[in-house]
Amino acid sequence: MMVELFSSNDMVRLSWARAMLEAAGIDVLLLDEHMSALEGSIGAIPRRLLVPQSDRERAKAVLEDASGGEFNDIFVEKP
């Protein structure tokens, strides 16, 4: 089962996070990429980054470590 790790309108942050997680061997799914295009690419709809539930805590640690703590306050709480 995939769970949301965080959402953002910042494509650079999403791309970086995806690259870091994939490099760590964590599967990543990015949702709502095409919804933004349907809305005119105005950035009103945040994209959601999902990871396997079993890798959620490891994914958080990977991003926290790689960012120097910059990601600490953006993670979605467990459902």
Side-chain angles (χ1 to χ4, degrees):
M1 180 163 112
M2 301 290 274
V3 294
E4 182 177 348
L5 189 61
F6 74 94
S7 63
S8 178
N9 290 327
D10 184 340
M11 290 307 298
V12 173
R13 176 177 271 194
L14 287 163
S15 177
W16 178 85
R18 185 180 204 168
M20 292 293 108
L21 294 172
E22 288 175 347
I26 299 172
D27 291 329
V28 175
L29 179 62
L30 189 58
L31 298 182
D32 304 321
E33 286 182 283
H34 302 293
M35 287 303 297
S36 178
L38 289 174
E39 294 295 323
S41 297
I42 60 175
I45 299 174
R47 290 149 180 97
R48 295 175 290 157
L49 190 133
L50 282 68
V51 298
Q53 185 173 12
S54 60
D55 287 331
R56 185 178 189 283
E57 294 305 315
R58 188 166 68 97
K60 284 176 59 175
V62 165
L63 295 181
E64 287 172 349
D65 290 345
S67 71
E70 182 180 326
F71 273 75
N72 292 353
D73 60 348
I74 69 164
F75 295 115
V76 172
E77 294 300 318
K78 285 186 179 179

